Amino acid sequence: MAIALAEAEAAAARGEVPVGAVLVNGVTGAVLAQAGNRTEERHDPTAHAEILVIRDAAAKAGAARLPQADLYVTLEPCAMCAAAISFSRIRRLYFGAYDPKGGGVEHGGRFFQQPTCHHAPEIVGGMAETQASALLRAFFGERR
C-alpha cells in the first residue's frame, strides 16, 4: 500500500485526484504495475489508477486475465474499475479510503455482489485508510 500511497501523492502533485494503485503478483510479491490517476493529463475519463495498472500488467503478461494478481488502491474503486477488476480476474483487492459517493464495491452498485458478476475478488477495505483519506481531504480542501 505504501507504493499506492506514493502514486497517489504523485497524482496530486500533477493536479489529479490523489488515487494510486499497484498490482502485485500475489505469489511472488513482485510489482507488476503501478500508477496514479491520469484522467486530466490524458483527457481520458477512464484513466483511473486501477485501469492503468490493469492495462499495463495485462500488456506485459500478454493476457487479459491476471488471476495471480493482488490490487492495492488508495480509494474504494468505482463501478467502472470494479468491472475491470472482475473481468481481469484479479485475485484480491485491498483498498484504503471508503467512497460513499462514488464507490462501487462497498457503496453504490456494489458490483461484486450482483448476480451478473462473474468473478469477485477477495476484498479488504480500510487498509491505510487514515493516510489515504488525509490525501483526499487535503487535495479537495485546497480546491474549495
Side-chain angles (χ1 to χ4, degrees):
M1 187 59 88
I3 295 170
L5 287 165
E7 288 289 346
E9 290 171 358
R14 293 190 303 272
E16 301 278 357
V17 174
V19 176
V22 61
L23 201 57
V24 176
N25 180 309
V27 177
T28 67
V31 173
L32 303 173
Q34 61 190 70
N37 275 359
R38 292 189 178 273
T39 59
E40 299 300 325
E41 175 186 304
R42 295 185 180 182
H43 310 290
D44 179 358
T46 69
H48 290 194
E50 301 95 308
I51 300 291
L52 296 174
V53 296
I54 291 169
R55 286 178 180 162
D56 187 21
K60 287 175 184 172
R65 292 180 180 81
L66 304 164
Q68 299 289 326
D70 295 344
L71 176 64
Y72 294 80
V73 61
T74 58
L75 182 65
E76 175 184 348
C78 69
M80 173 184 71
C81 293
I85 291 164
S86 178
F87 294 155
S88 60
R89 305 295 193 268
I90 287 174
R91 184 176 81 150
R92 289 190 187 109
L93 166 64
Y94 300 91
F95 69 85
Y98 289 85
D99 187 357
K101 284 186 177 181
V105 176
E106 299 288 333
H107 296 89
R110 297 184 176 171
F111 187 88
F112 302 123
Q113 296 176 16
Q114 300 306 311
T116 54
C117 178
H118 297 291
H119 170 78
E122 293 178 37
I123 301 167
V124 177
M127 185 176 202
E129 180 179 9
T130 302
Q131 299 95 314
S133 294
L135 281 171
L136 289 159
R137 274 194 306 280
F139 178 82
F140 287 113
E142 291 173 4
R143 282 150 181 77
R144 291 187 179 134

